[in-house]
Amino acid sequence: MARAAVASGDDDKLWAVLREALRFSPPRLMLARSCGQGHHLAQGTADEVVVPAGTTVVVATAAAAFDPARVDEPEHFRVDRPEHPDFLFGEGPHACVARQVATAAIREACKALLGHEFHLSGPLRRDGGRPISFPVGLAPLRAAG
């Protein structure tokens, strides 16, 4: 899907594929913030919580991308899904100021990479059982046929 978008020069389709892939595997799973002043979360609902000033709040941003109240069929990979900029770049006063730059950088890097085949170019290094180095080489993409 992504390679087809690159081959056809469809940057919007490529970004839709990448955005949905990043929803499934985001660069950050959660973030922590310190509450500067007391705040009511979910005020007026059965889930209301008062967060006192100075409290560290951990937000599971990756979980929000799979919240069925916000995302239709969250378990399905759908490139026709409406964009939720807050999933990747935040919103409000903590929104990423470099969103347009980041979007372009991600898309252009993937365009360059998707025009190649990948192969293991050296030994896989491990720390215990966990891989810590996975050297990859690139070769020009061979035409299908």
Side-chain angles (χ1 to χ4, degrees), residues 25 128 132:
S25 185
I132 59 170

Side-chain angles (χ1 to χ4, degrees), residues 4-144:
V6 170
S8 69
D10 190 341
D11 283 359
D12 292 336
K13 177 71 169 235
L14 176 61
W15 179 242
V17 173
L18 295 173
R19 189 180 68 235
E20 187 70 351
L22 287 165
R23 185 178 71 82
F24 273 82
S25 185
R28 71 167 189 268
L29 301 177
M30 62 182 63
L31 56 91
R33 293 284 188 260
S34 179
C35 189
Q37 60 186 26
H39 186 74
H40 289 258
L41 292 175
Q43 190 167 9
T45 72
D47 297 321
E48 182 173 353
V49 176
V50 177
V51 181
T55 301
T56 298
V57 178
V58 177
V59 180
T61 54
F66 288 88
D67 180 354
R70 297 196 62 212
V71 179
D72 185 40
E73 298 179 312
E75 69 284 355
H76 291 101
F77 189 97
R78 289 190 20 216
V79 297
D80 64 338
R81 192 178 303 285
E83 185 167 4
H84 293 281
D86 51 309
F87 290 159
L88 288 174
F89 301 107
E91 63 182 344
H94 296 288
C96 177
V97 296
R99 176 177 182 225
Q100 286 77 19
V101 173
T103 299
I106 293 166
R107 187 181 57 237
E108 293 305 313
C110 288
K111 282 167 64 173
L113 291 172
L114 289 169
H116 294 83
E117 291 183 358
F118 300 84
H119 61 275
L120 192 60
S121 65
L124 177 65
R125 289 186 20 228
R126 296 181 181 271
D127 177 13
R130 194 179 109 239
I132 59 170
S133 173
F134 190 80
V136 174
L138 300 175
L141 192 60
R142 287 180 263 149

